[in-house]
Amino acid sequence: MKKSFLVVFLFLSSPGIIHAEIEEKRKMGEMVEGSVDDSGNIFVEGNPSGLNINEAPPRKEPRTHHFKFGKLMLPLVALSQPEMFLRTFTDDRAEGALRNFWNNVGAELPKDEQMRPEGLSLSNKIIDGLDYIIISFPVPEAPNELFFTVIVGDKNNPDTLRVFGLENALKNEAYKYGTILVEWDKKGRYTYKAQLEVSEEQLIDTVGEVLKKKIEVRTFTDMRPYGWFSG
């Protein structure tokens, strides 16, 4: 016996198992008829989808050390102490300072959550008179882990510092390369309408376009209710 329902298939991503007309509906975000049999097999418009409601893969969570350093402590320190951050991470000792920062964040975590800084690196560029601090992270293994962070600042006007990141994400129509361009400020986190491959050069170019206001914001999350710069 099948139980029927109406669904919006926005994230079904198994090409070849859906008829062309159903796939077209999915792309348009239209409602299609779905059903589930007693064994949990999912049917779409009466056709087997190849999916089972009881076999959804578990979501892989970001590693605590990777997440806390890249998405919390790094933007928090950069935005709260921009002058110090620019001075520290543009001199000859920047690489060592970055590794110490990483290890200090890890020291507050249980041993089994600590990560070695393998793959963590830093480089600097000056573009249009601005300092670009580019940080490469250990290779992401889950959504919400970072590939890169790009901090852009003016030493003559440090309070204008901005913090961008390229996040690992699940591939879908909005994020076809499995990446999200994000930015943090003292209000929260923004995502941008940009399709980026995992490329440091492309990321730097795209950040430049954002600074010129040529790329629109996709979403904004107000982080202040969760303690972000609320004190």
Side-chain angles (χ1 to χ4, degrees), residues 44-85:
V44 182
E45 300 278 314
N47 300 294
S49 71
L51 304 175
N52 188 291
I53 201 167
N54 301 314
E55 297 177 357
R59 176 181 171 86
K60 190 167 186 179
E61 296 298 325
R63 291 164 292 179
T64 303
H65 194 161
H66 206 294
F67 181 91
K68 186 175 181 181
F69 177 81
K71 298 191 65 175
L72 295 176
M73 297 309 300
L74 187 63
L76 186 67
V77 170
L79 291 166
S80 61
Q81 303 177 60
E83 184 174 2
M84 179 277 293
F85 192 93

Side-chain angles (χ1 to χ4, degrees), residues 158-174:
D159 289 337
T160 60
L161 178 144
R162 295 178 69 170
V163 182
F164 298 90
L166 188 66
E167 286 184 11
N168 190 28
L170 296 175
K171 290 184 179 180
N172 57 44
E173 290 178 12

